[in-house]
Amino acid sequence: MKQLKTERHGPILLVKFDNPPKGYMTDDTLADLDELCVEIDRDPDIRAAVYTGADPETFIYHFDTDVLSGMADAVRRKNLSFSADRILPERNIDIVFNRIANSPKPHIAAINGNCMGGGLEFALACDMRFAKAGDYRMGQIEIALGILPGAGGVVRTAKMIGASRAMELCLLGEAFGPAQAKELGLVNDVIDGDVVAHAMDVAERIAAHAPLAVQHIKRIARAANEPGDADALGLERTLFLDLLVQDEAVENLAAYNAGTLKLKDRKG
């Protein structure tokens, strides 16, 4: 795989995102994850997966905005338009995140550093999230670029912390730290020590239980928390593309990629 490093620790698969120098998510990341998620489900000896960043300061920084700029340009050249009346089919990123949700095995994010945009959307797609204590950025910052979190960021945030607080985060588009993420309810806990070791310990304790019981509990908990998600996720990815092709988004992405548009941090 191009951007994932894996290590087997008994029944636990440790997965490290490795895309230097910036730690962005790209189409190659998604292709690797798609292949890996299929393997995890097929291998009865893998009982849980833990994800972290190979760079000690970065989990997944965010989705590569150069890729988004290229996507916007390609779609605009085709003169395509998007509407809530015509919901788009699932893309690779949706398929991968849904594989995690539908997997019979727990997928745990050990957030070891910067985790924004598509990186946070990946973490939200996982079953549990533990964040390293420290001074780094998390958040759904897409509105600062004239777009929206288009891979489950709005929907899953609203499911976890309620529509009002999700709107506050997504409409302000300001980054925040791990302590604020815990206060908001976006992560299970903030770990002062080794976040990977903590997540691995949780995974190992889960793996000690009967696999079918683990599978059923995950399925029930997901079902209880996600009624109507398919419709909401479809609307989200469709309206994401509607925004991506607008002049403001194209200009903001170009400015961000050139380093002239800076992200804002959350106050308080």
Side-chain angles (χ1 to χ4, degrees):
M1 289 180 283
K2 295 180 179 179
Q3 295 185 12
L4 300 181
K5 293 181 177 179
T6 61
E7 302 172 9
R8 286 291 290 268
H9 296 263
I12 312 303
L13 185 68
L14 176 62
V15 184
K16 295 182 179 181
F17 296 103
D18 187 27
N19 185 26
K22 295 185 177 180
Y24 291 160
M25 176 184 285
T26 70
D27 292 335
D28 285 338
T29 319
L30 295 172
D32 286 351
L33 281 169
D34 190 40
E35 177 184 340
L36 184 67
C37 287
V38 172
E39 177 186 338
I40 290 170
D41 284 354
R42 286 178 177 171
D43 188 339
D45 294 329
I46 298 175
R47 303 282 289 278
V50 172
Y51 300 87
T52 195
D55 182 332
E57 303 300 324
T58 302
F59 180 70
I60 300 172
Y61 200 91
H62 55 56
F63 196 88
D64 191 334
T65 48
D66 282 322
V67 174
L68 294 181
S69 288
M71 184 189 306
D73 290 342
V75 173
R76 281 160 66 97
R77 283 196 298 271
K78 294 179 182 178
N79 200 31
L80 298 177
S81 62
F82 303 92
S83 164
D85 296 327
R86 302 189 308 275
I87 299 300
L88 296 175
E90 290 183 342
R91 307 152 300 174
N92 288 347
I93 195 168
D94 307 307
I95 292 169
V96 169
F97 290 0
N98 286 335
R99 284 197 195 282
I100 290 171
N102 296 326
S103 171
K105 303 171 184 183
H107 293 244
I108 302 173
I111 301 169
N112 63 308
N114 293 308
C115 177
M116 297 185 292
L120 183 54
E121 288 181 302
F122 172 83
L124 295 176
C126 289
D127 300 303
M128 301 178 200
R129 288 152 296 284
F130 298 98
K132 178 184 76 173
D135 182 18
Y136 60 89
R137 285 169 148 186
M138 302 176 65
Q140 301 292 5
I141 43 76
E142 286 87 346
I143 197 169
L145 304 175
I147 55 176
L148 59 79
V154 180
V155 174
R156 292 190 173 99
T157 300
K159 290 290 185 182
M160 288 181 189
I161 66 174
S164 181
R165 300 203 82 175
M167 282 190 279
E168 180 184 354
L169 291 185
C170 296
L171 291 175
L172 289 174
E174 297 167 346
F176 47 84
Q180 289 174 302
K182 181 180 178 181
E183 291 173 6
L184 290 164
L186 291 175
V187 298
N188 294 65
D189 204 357
V190 174
I191 307 303
D192 288 323
D194 187 337
V195 68
V196 176
H198 180 86
M200 292 290 288
D201 178 66
V202 171
E204 287 164 2
R205 286 152 57 197
I206 293 171
H209 296 300
L212 189 60
V214 171
Q215 175 182 341
H216 285 349
I217 289 170
K218 171 177 173 174
R219 181 177 181 182
I220 293 166
R222 285 276 193 173
N225 197 48
E226 298 176 356
D229 263 14
D231 291 341
L233 289 168
L235 181 64
E236 184 181 277
R237 65 175 172 266
T238 302
L239 298 184
F240 166 79
L241 276 171
D242 183 49
L243 290 175
L244 186 65
V245 299
Q246 303 301 318
D247 291 343
E248 183 176 3
V250 171
E251 292 165 4
N252 286 346
L253 282 165
Y256 180 74
N257 291 334
T260 57
L261 189 155
K262 303 298 183 183
L263 302 176
K264 296 180 181 179
D265 289 327
R266 182 176 169 83
K267 298 177 181 178

